[in-house]
Amino acid sequence: MQIYSYLCGVFWKRMYIHLDCNNFFVSCELLSRPELKGTPVVVANDNGNNGGIILALNPEAKAVGLKRGDPLFQVSQLIEPHHVTVIDVHHHLYHEVSRHIMDEVRRTEMVLGFVQYSVDEFFGQMPDDDPTRLRKYLQILKDLILEKTGIPVSCGAGLSYTLAKTATWFAKHYPAYNGICVMPADTREAALEKVPVKDVWGIGRRSFKTLDRQGVKTALEYAQLPEAWIKRHFGVVGVRTWKELNGSPSITIASREHQKSIMYSRTFAHMTNSKKVLLYELSNYASSAARKLREQRSLCRTVTIFLATNRHRTDLPQYNAGDTLKMTTATDDSTQIIHAVTHLLDKLYRENYQYKQAGVILGQLQYSDAVQLDLFAPEQAQEQAKQKRLMKAIDGINKRFGGNQIHFAIQGSEADFDDQPAGFLRPHNVDE
């Protein structure tokens, strides 16, 4: 595609952009089920016993009173009479579509530093600060993504990544914007005055409670607080958000430290129905993802796994499942993450299916210096320090001698799988 002439303009004039896929999980599912468009649809981690929760839903499902996070069994009185379609979650599909979006946007060469922040969100920069032209360029991207992938997106642009994401908030909440909002410097304060502080990117539940006690209700009121007060109550993370809201870029999205999730997955060379093999694969993914967490000084609050059969083998029974476990405390400890993966696999595994793909996703990432320990467990800090020393030692040995020299017994080795086809297992490397 043509490289637009604005790339030859003045490069020091730039705006940050944010693309957010609308109702992403549902939008992906509707690609293969277009007959459901215009009807209420939810995606849930339902394992067949009505015990899952709603992970995503479209506007039609919201209109009947459903919300994300609702347990299915508690809202059955809404699902059945309103003929709501419940679709099992397919994490592998969503990541495939997300990669497709990345490829299409990068191919245009319109966006500088275009990066994936999460499976349904992307950030980048455009070397132009004229609102009219920016809106035109974002419309081109929006139309292109819809045409090439079938996924509708909302777009925002601002003087920082946080302001760009805030602009997307307006694009999604105000229909008059038609899915695109550009927030130049002269509209920043008026816009922030309309945004609830709880909806600001980077303001967590605990921070919101502190702000609410101080009478801080809007994003603008947060931005007008003294920097020293912000630092005292919310540390360096809160200061970054404060600077970003004031139009001073302070976050580097290109660093994996700021990403919302880390995923390791693989499509197997051969199908398998062995739980032992799946545990081997998933525990190694978990170990790799945990090391990546520590490298970027992040912690995760959720651990998700997914399993999938071969959707191209229509002659075989199909089964796709995923589930998420929320950790009591944010962690980068491989032992805790692998334990969570083992627990989830015990819940999801079904015999008599030939599995083709599996993966681990670590979600709700946060800075390691922002973790809050349980006040009612004073021994927690001591145990956490002990585990950190262990993880540091393991990482150091593996870095020095290469590969995965030190690993947990549950990760196994290829020698444990002589009954599998030749070449089924590939040696795991935490740096892959």
Side-chain angles (χ1 to χ4, degrees):
M1 188 174 183
Q2 178 186 3
I3 302 177
Y4 290 86
S5 60
Y6 79 93
L7 286 177
C8 298
V10 183
F11 272 72
W12 57 82
K13 292 183 177 180
R14 66 179 178 180
M15 290 281 272
Y16 296 83
I17 69 165
H18 175 244
L19 306 181
D20 191 357
C21 301
N22 299 339
N23 313 307
F24 184 56
F25 288 7
V26 174
S27 295
C28 290
E29 299 293 348
L30 294 184
L31 294 176
S32 59
R33 303 181 66 176
E35 72 278 4
L36 295 177
K37 289 182 179 179
T39 68
V41 179
V42 303
V43 172
N45 61 338
D46 182 18
N47 300 323
N49 57 3
N50 209 36
I53 63 171
I54 294 176
L55 302 177
L57 64 170
N58 62 0
E60 291 80 7
K62 294 176 183 176
V64 305
L66 297 173
K67 300 185 298 296
R68 193 169 76 169
D70 283 342
L72 291 176
F73 76 92
Q74 288 186 0
V75 292
S76 58
Q77 74 281 4
L78 293 175
I79 290 175
E80 296 174 5
H82 290 285
H83 306 290
V84 178
T85 302
V86 179
I87 301 177
D88 287 346
V89 65
H90 299 102
H91 287 289
H92 60 293
L93 168 64
Y94 313 143
H95 283 273
E96 287 177 6
V97 175
S98 184
R99 282 193 290 268
H100 190 188
I101 293 173
M102 284 286 295
D103 291 343
E104 292 296 339
V105 173
R106 284 177 170 169
R107 193 172 292 120
T108 69
E109 302 182 16
M110 290 178 62
V111 183
L112 306 177
F114 189 64
V115 295
Q116 182 185 48
Y117 173 66
S118 66
V119 71
D120 61 344
E121 289 185 83
F122 310 86
F123 284 98
Q125 301 169 31
M126 284 188 170
D128 201 330
D129 61 356
D130 179 84
T132 301
R133 289 195 296 269
L134 276 171
R135 183 174 181 84
K136 174 185 175 183
Y137 303 143
L138 290 175
Q139 186 68 57
I140 292 172
L141 288 179
K142 180 178 170 67
D143 293 343
L144 175 74
I145 293 170
L146 184 62
E147 175 190 353
K148 296 294 187 179
T149 70
I151 302 298
V153 299
S154 297
C155 311
L159 298 172
S160 66
Y161 285 124
T162 301
L163 289 174
K165 190 171 171 69
T166 303
T168 304
W169 182 90
F170 280 97
K172 295 172 78 76
H173 285 79
Y174 291 82
Y177 283 106
N178 294 317
I180 299 174
C181 176
V182 177
M183 187 191 299
D186 58 355
T187 67
R188 181 186 65 84
E189 290 194 0
L192 293 182
E193 193 173 17
K194 295 180 174 63
V195 180
V197 71
K198 65 181 179 62
D199 291 332
V200 173
W201 182 41
I203 303 294
R205 286 194 297 270
R206 290 189 177 93
S207 298
F208 172 68
K209 290 179 180 178
T210 300
L211 293 167
D212 190 53
R213 288 194 295 268
Q214 295 295 320
V216 177
K217 305 296 184 184
T218 70
L220 180 61
E221 290 173 338
Y222 182 90
Q224 292 176 336
L225 289 169
E227 180 179 356
W229 189 92
I230 296 289
K231 186 174 183 179
R232 184 167 67 253
H233 288 84
F234 307 124
V236 64
V237 178
V239 171
R240 288 194 186 109
T241 299
W242 178 85
K243 288 182 177 180
E244 290 256 324
L245 287 176
N246 282 292
S248 176
S250 302
I251 293 175
T252 306
I253 297 297
S255 168
R256 294 182 66 93
E257 182 180 359
H258 300 284
Q259 291 186 322
K260 238 177 7 180
S261 64
I262 292 175
M263 184 184 82
Y264 277 74
S265 70
R266 181 180 301 167
T267 298
F268 308 142
H270 302 274
M271 294 181 291
T272 182
N273 63 356
S274 169
K275 185 179 180 182
K276 182 181 178 182
V277 169
L278 293 175
L279 182 58
Y280 166 82
E281 294 285 348
L282 290 168
S283 61
N284 276 282
Y285 303 159
S287 176
S288 298
R291 177 171 175 177
K292 184 62 67 176
L293 272 181
R294 295 190 290 273
E295 287 177 351
Q296 64 188 39
R297 298 186 299 279
S298 294
L299 307 171
C300 71
R301 287 303 304 266
T302 63
V303 177
T304 298
I305 74 166
F306 61 86
L307 309 172
T309 53
N310 189 344
R311 59 190 174 94
H312 300 293
R313 289 291 303 272
T314 55
D315 58 314
L316 296 176
Q318 297 295 307
Y319 176 65
N320 300 278
D323 203 357
T324 300
L325 183 66
K326 187 169 184 178
M327 311 301 284
T328 304
T329 303
T331 184
D332 62 4
D333 187 341
S334 295
T335 57
Q336 294 182 26
I337 293 171
I338 291 175
H339 179 75
V341 165
T342 304
H343 173 75
L344 291 169
L345 180 61
D346 288 339
K347 290 179 61 179
L348 296 183
Y349 175 75
R350 300 288 184 272
E351 295 181 355
N352 303 320
Y353 288 100
Q354 294 292 328
Y355 296 96
K356 183 65 173 176
Q357 188 178 41
V360 173
I361 304 171
L362 306 185
Q364 295 187 20
L365 305 192
Q366 64 184 68
Y367 295 97
S368 58
D369 59 1
V371 65
Q372 295 190 18
L373 301 179
D374 188 347
L375 295 176
F376 300 100
E379 72 283 356
Q380 184 183 38
Q382 183 177 356
E383 179 62 26
Q384 186 182 70
K386 177 181 176 182
Q387 286 299 111
K388 281 189 174 297
R389 289 195 297 271
L390 174 61
M391 294 300 108
K392 184 177 180 180
I394 292 174
D395 291 345
I397 293 172
N398 286 331
K399 184 175 181 180
R400 180 178 179 182
F401 295 101
N404 202 10
Q405 299 295 319
I406 303 295
H407 60 268
F408 295 90
I410 197 172
Q411 294 176 245
S413 66
E414 290 199 65
D416 300 326
F417 300 95
D418 293 336
D419 56 336
Q420 296 299 316
F424 178 84
L425 297 175
R426 186 179 66 187
H428 283 272
N429 188 320
V430 295
D431 293 322
E432 67 185 2

